[in-house]
Amino acid sequence: MGRNTELAELAESIFGDTYDRDATGLDRAAWKACEESGLTALTAPDTGGTLDDAGVLLEAAGAWAARVPLAETDLLAGWLARAAGVEVPAGPLAAVALGPGVAAGSPGGTLTTAGTAVSGTLTRVPWGRSLAAVVVVEEGGPDGERVLVLDAATATVTEAANVAEEPRDDLTFAGATPLATGTAPAGAAAELGLRAALARSLLLAGAARGALARSIGYAGERVQFGRPIGKFQAVQQMLAEAGSEVAAAAAASAAAARTAQGAGFAAAETAFAVAAAKARCGEAATAVARIAHQVHGAIGFTREHDLRLVTTRLWAWRDEDGNDAHWNDRVGAAALDAGPDGLWPLVTGRP
Amino acid sequence: MMTTVAGASTTLTGLPELVPEPVELPGHLAALRAEVRAFLDAERASGAWTPRADVWLSGWDEGFSRRLAERGWLGMTIPVEYGGHGRGALERYVVTEELLAAGAPVAAHWVADRQIGPSLLRHGTEEQRRAFLPGIARGEVYFGIGMSEPDSGSDLASVRTRAERVDGGWELSGTKVWTSGAHHAHAFFALVRTAPKDDAHRHAGLSQFLVELDRPGVEIRPIPLLTGAHHFNEVRFDRVFIPDERVFGELGNGWAQVTGELAFERSGPERFLSTYPLLAALVGELRATGSGGVDAGTRRRIGSLVSRVWTLRTMSLAVAGALESGQAPELAAALVKDLGTRYENEIVDAARLLVEIPPDPGAEGGFARLLADAVLHAPGFTLRGGTNEVLRGIVARGMGLR
C-alpha cells in the first residue's frame, strides 16, 4: 500500500491554484474545491479514505500553508459526530473537548446546560468565525461522553489568532439550543486529543517541507560573493541538517498515521506513536524554521516574502494540541513505566 | 523579490524524496523477534557476556558469533546454495536490531555479515562466493574494511595503494588504516589504484581486491584507540601477490562498487543504537530512585530521547525496505546516518546530566561502565563510515545544491 500519489497531486493542485500569500482567514475558493473533491470528508465511511490518505492531504495543506480547516472538519468534528451517532453538519467544523485531560494549546472552555439551553464560552476555537458548527465532547465516565453539536451562528465571536494569523476565536453561547446531542463511547475525548495531535504532526511535516523547499530555491537564486549562496559549504551543511529534520518529521508523522490506521486509537501503541510523532515534529519545526530564516537572510524576515507563511505555522502548530514538552512527558512516563527491559519492546511495538 | 505562484509551485514540488516510503514489518516477524529475545535472555542469564555500548566495534566474541550462526541468524540473506538462509533484509534487520539493543558482542561477524556477503553476491565470482559465503554464514570467516589510507580519509578517491600487473595476478603495495579487527579477520576488500590517477576522472582506475590477510608481505600493526584498546590496525602491503581469481568485481569499477557497499554500511540500526544500552540503563537508574523521584524535566528529556530513537528506527527501516526492493537510496542512507550518529551522542550527554553517576571504565558492567565506554568511543560515531560533514555534502547534492 504505497502513498496515494493521485490524492497528493489533487491536493497540491488545489492548494497551488488558490495560493494567495497576502490573504488571511478562511480560503473559500480552496474550501469549495476541497468540498467538491470530497476532501472535506475524506475519512467518512462513504468516502472511505484511510488515515494514510489523510496524512497525504494534510502534509500538502501544511506545505502550501492552506487556509482551510480540513483536519478540524473531517478527522476531528466529523469523526466525533459520527462516534456520537449524530448527523455531521455541512460546512467547516471544529471540535472541542472539555475536561481536565485536554492538552494545553487545544481549544477549551466551559459550558453549562439548563434544560436544553447551553451557555458558556468555548476558547481558542480554530476558524471559529467561519464555522458552520462546533462539535463538543465532555470528558466523562465509563458509560460514555456527552456530545453536543452547536450552531456557530448562535455564538458571539471574539476574534483572536495564533502566531500564524490563523483564527483562534472565542465563541460565547447564551442559552443556545444544540443542533443535536448524543453520547460517544467512553474515551472519545482522549481519542480526539490523539487525533488532533496526529493531524497537527502531519501539518507540521508539510510546513517543514515547504520551508525547506523555499530555502533550497532561495539558496540557488541568491548570489553573494559572485555565486549562489547554496554553493557555500556552510549553507549546504545547514540545509542538509534541515533536510534531516524534514525527513524525520515526515517519517514520524506518517508512521503514527499508519499505526493509528492499523491498530486503532484505543491501542497503547497508537498513543505512544502519536505522542512520539507530535513531539518529534515539534522539535523538527524549531530547527527547520531557524535554518530557513538563517538561509533567507533579512528578506525572509519581512512581510513581503512568503517564507513567513510556513515558518509562522511551524511556530504556531508546534505549540498547538500539546507541545513537545506535553507529548515528551507522555513518552517519558511510558518509558520509565516500561523500565530498562521494557523500553525496547515499547520502541519496536508490534510485531 | 515577489514570489509568484508558479515559482512556489516549482520549488515545492522539485524537492526529491528524502526518505523512502515507510515500511511495515510483516506480522510473521514477531515470532522471529520473540525467538531472538528468548535467546538473548538465556545468554545473559548464563553470564555469557555483559551488555556493552558500541558492541559492533568492540564486542569481539567468536563463540557468540558461532552460536548465532547455529540458529541461522548469520548470512540470513545469503541464498541457501551458498550456505546461507535465503531470508529477507527485513528479517535480518529484526535480528540485528535486537542484538544491538541488547548490547550483545557482535563485532567478529559484523562487517562480513553486513556488507561482504551482499557485495560477494553482487560482484563476486562463483568461486569467490563458494570460497567465502558458507564460512560467513557459519560465523567462522571474518572480514575487515580496506578503504581508508594514511592520506585518504574522507577523500577516498585519492587512495595511493596500487596494484601492478604481474604474471598470473597483481602485486599490491601501500598501506590501509583504521581496519577494525584486522588482527583477527581472515580477509578484506582493498580499494586500490590499478591505473594512474587522472585528475579529470578521479573515480576511474580504482579496483577492489579480495585480500586474505595471511598472504606473504601483509603486515598488520595495531593502532590503539585513545583508551589503549586494540581494535584499529594499520595493514601494510609489501609487494603482496594477489592471484587473478582474487580480483573483486570489475577492474576499474572499484568506485561504483565501494559506493554501493556504503549504502549498506550507512543506514543500518548500528548507526543510532551504539549507545542504546546506556539509554536503557539510564531509565533503570531513574526508576531506581523511586516513584516521585523523577521530575517533569527529566521525564521530558527521556521522552525526547525515546521519541527520537523511535523516529530514527522508522527511517532506518524505510531505507532497509528500499534496499530490499533493489534501490540504493544514497541520500536517505547519508541522512539517517548523520541524524543517527548525532543522536548517539545526545544519549551520552543526557545520561551525564540526568543522574549523578560518574563514568567508571573499570566497572564490570552497569550504568557507570556503559557511560565510560560511550564517552570514550563517542568521537568515532560521527567519523566512521563517512564523516557527518561528508554525509551532509551528499544530502546537499541530493537536494540539488551542488
Side-chain angles (χ1 to χ4, degrees):
Chain A
M1 47 180 217
R3 189 168 176 272
N4 190 335
T5 49
E6 203 180 315
L7 175 62
E9 283 167 19
L10 171 66
E12 303 250 353
S13 82
I14 291 175
F15 302 140
D17 287 348
T18 54
Y19 185 76
D20 177 358
R21 63 194 193 85
D22 296 317
T24 53
L26 181 71
D27 182 343
R28 296 205 177 269
W31 178 262
K32 189 159 170 285
C34 288
E35 214 166 32
E36 285 166 357
S37 311
L39 302 184
T40 56
L42 185 62
T43 63
D46 49 352
T47 318
T50 63
L51 290 171
D52 297 316
D53 295 332
V56 169
L57 174 65
L58 294 177
E59 201 273 350
W64 285 96
R67 293 172 289 111
V68 277
L70 292 171
E72 290 86 345
T73 302
D74 176 36
L75 274 188
L76 306 182
W79 163 79
L80 182 57
R82 282 192 297 276
V86 300
E87 198 185 330
V88 180
L93 308 173
V96 178
L98 303 177
V102 178
S106 310
T110 41
L111 293 178
T112 56
T113 310
T116 58
V118 176
S119 301
T121 298
L122 299 177
T123 56
R124 309 284 302 170
V125 180
W127 309 91
R129 72 197 70 163
S130 307
L131 296 179
V134 186
V135 186
V136 182
V137 60
E138 293 174 325
E139 265 182 2
D143 299 333
E145 302 184 344
R146 191 168 75 122
V147 170
L148 303 171
V149 182
L150 296 170
D151 183 350
T154 63
T156 309
V157 177
T158 308
E159 293 194 354
N162 65 16
V163 297
E165 302 173 25
E166 291 183 306
R168 296 292 186 259
D169 303 330
D170 289 356
L171 302 186
T172 302
F173 297 88
T177 304
L179 294 171
T181 58
T183 304
E191 174 165 344
L192 186 70
L194 288 177
R195 284 174 165 267
L198 172 61
R200 202 57 73 189
S201 304
L202 293 159
L203 287 163
L204 278 166
R209 172 169 68 95
L212 174 66
R214 284 170 170 83
S215 302
I216 289 170
Y218 184 76
E221 293 162 9
R222 173 70 172 169
V223 174
Q224 290 289 277
F225 305 103
R227 49 185 169 151
I229 60 169
K231 296 291 172 198
F232 290 98
Q233 286 196 351
V235 175
Q236 290 173 0
Q237 297 271 309
M238 281 199 294
L239 286 171
E241 190 189 329
S244 304
E245 293 295 317
V246 169
S253 57
R258 190 159 285 196
T259 303
Q261 180 68 42
F265 281 93
E269 66 193 278
T270 301
F272 173 82
V274 169
K278 179 63 168 75
R280 186 65 186 87
C281 289
E283 292 178 2
T286 301
V288 172
R290 174 177 53 75
I291 292 168
H293 275 289
Q294 193 67 18
V295 168
H296 276 80
I299 193 67
F301 186 46
T302 65
R303 188 88 188 158
E304 183 184 342
H305 199 278
D306 59 1
L307 176 64
R308 67 183 168 83
L309 297 178
V310 280
T311 53
T312 56
R313 278 168 176 75
L314 290 171
W315 294 325
W317 293 346
R318 67 185 176 180
D319 286 330
E320 290 190 329
D321 303 307
N323 66 5
D324 320 354
H326 174 86
W327 292 110
N328 273 332
D329 200 303
R330 295 267 186 106
V331 174
L336 289 161
D337 197 39
D341 297 329
L343 178 59
W344 183 245
L346 180 72
V347 170
T348 51
R350 294 179 301 179
Chain B
M1 200 44 63
M2 302 287 284
T3 306
T4 61
V5 172
S9 164
T10 311
T11 53
L12 262 178
T13 50
L15 198 65
E17 180 185 69
L18 297 172
V19 166
E21 285 281 305
V23 166
E24 215 164 354
L25 289 174
H28 71 269
L29 295 189
L32 172 63
R33 190 185 295 284
E35 241 181 283
V36 179
R37 283 185 185 164
F39 163 76
L40 289 169
D41 285 345
E43 284 270 316
R44 270 177 305 214
S46 76
W49 39 268
T50 306
R52 288 281 150 77
D54 203 17
V55 280
W56 59 281
L57 173 69
S58 53
W60 195 284
D61 182 339
E62 299 182 6
F64 181 73
S65 294
R66 280 193 291 269
R67 292 199 291 283
L68 288 178
E70 283 163 17
R71 282 158 185 80
W73 295 335
L74 291 191
M76 289 178 77
T77 60
I78 295 173
V80 176
E81 55 174 312
Y82 299 114
H85 303 281
R87 302 177 85 164
L90 293 177
E91 290 173 284
R92 178 179 177 272
Y93 193 100
V94 166
V95 172
T96 52
E97 71 171 350
E98 289 295 327
L99 297 173
L100 292 164
V106 294
H109 65 263
W110 193 258
V111 170
D113 184 69
R114 176 181 68 185
Q115 68 202 75
I116 304 301
S119 286
L120 277 165
L121 286 167
R122 236 169 328 149
H123 304 295
T125 63
E126 187 60 21
E127 185 274 330
Q128 288 168 350
R129 293 176 185 184
R130 300 217 175 266
F132 293 97
L133 290 174
I136 289 174
R138 283 197 308 270
E140 290 171 359
V141 172
Y142 313 122
F143 271 73
I145 298 176
M147 296 192 192
S148 294
E149 297 186 2
D151 295 322
S152 304
S154 292
D155 181 11
L156 194 58
S158 72
V159 294
R160 290 194 305 204
T161 297
R162 63 182 198 283
E164 304 282 347
R165 198 80 181 96
V166 294
D167 193 26
W170 298 77
E171 226 172 54
L172 259 59
S173 298
T175 305
K176 292 290 174 184
V177 286
W178 322 134
T179 305
S180 303
H183 52 310
H184 302 302
H186 299 90
F188 70 7
F189 293 161
L191 179 71
V192 310
R193 243 188 204 287
T194 41
K197 197 171 155 203
D198 172 1
D199 282 332
H201 304 96
R202 302 187 70 238
H203 299 155
L206 293 168
S207 305
Q208 280 187 300
F209 288 83
L210 202 165
V211 181
E212 286 118 318
L213 293 169
D214 58 359
R215 286 190 179 275
V218 174
E219 188 196 345
I220 297 171
R221 218 176 49 82
I223 308 176
L225 289 186
L226 56 76
T227 57
H230 179 193
H231 302 298
F232 283 165
N233 298 277
E234 179 186 83
V235 181
R236 278 194 200 166
F237 309 117
D238 180 13
R239 301 182 61 190
V240 175
F241 175 73
I242 308 289
D244 279 328
E245 58 268 24
R246 288 290 171 267
V247 171
F248 184 67
E250 230 177 287
L251 275 173
N253 193 38
W255 185 259
Q257 291 170 201
V258 159
T259 314
E261 219 178 299
L262 285 172
F264 283 88
E265 202 187 319
R266 279 180 176 157
S267 60
E270 73 274 27
R271 299 305 184 176
F272 59 94
L273 290 178
S274 301
T275 56
Y276 176 82
L278 176 61
L279 175 62
L282 172 62
V283 165
E285 292 296 336
L286 288 169
R287 241 163 74 116
T289 62
S291 61
V294 180
D295 61 86
T298 299
R299 229 169 23 239
R300 290 166 182 174
R301 189 87 192 258
I302 292 292
S304 175
L305 291 172
V306 173
S307 299
R308 293 174 94 82
V309 76
W310 174 80
T311 304
L312 280 161
R313 178 172 178 270
T314 299
M315 300 168 83
S316 169
L317 265 171
V319 177
L323 283 171
E324 174 146 82
S325 62
Q327 304 165 52
E330 194 197 13
L331 190 166
L335 184 150
V336 172
K337 182 176 176 309
D338 177 30
L339 210 53
T341 53
R342 283 188 282 135
Y343 171 75
E344 292 176 333
N345 278 280
E346 288 171 27
I347 291 179
V348 181
D349 296 343
R352 281 191 55 250
L353 295 174
L354 295 181
V355 296
E356 292 186 52
I357 301 173
D360 181 359
E364 275 302 308
F367 181 90
R369 172 63 187 265
L370 288 165
L371 180 59
D373 287 349
V375 165
L376 294 167
H377 282 236
F381 303 161
T382 48
L383 298 173
R384 56 192 178 193
T387 69
N388 290 46
E389 289 67 30
V390 165
L391 297 172
R392 279 180 228 151
I394 291 169
V395 174
R397 189 177 60 221
M399 297 192 309
L401 282 165
R402 287 171 64 191

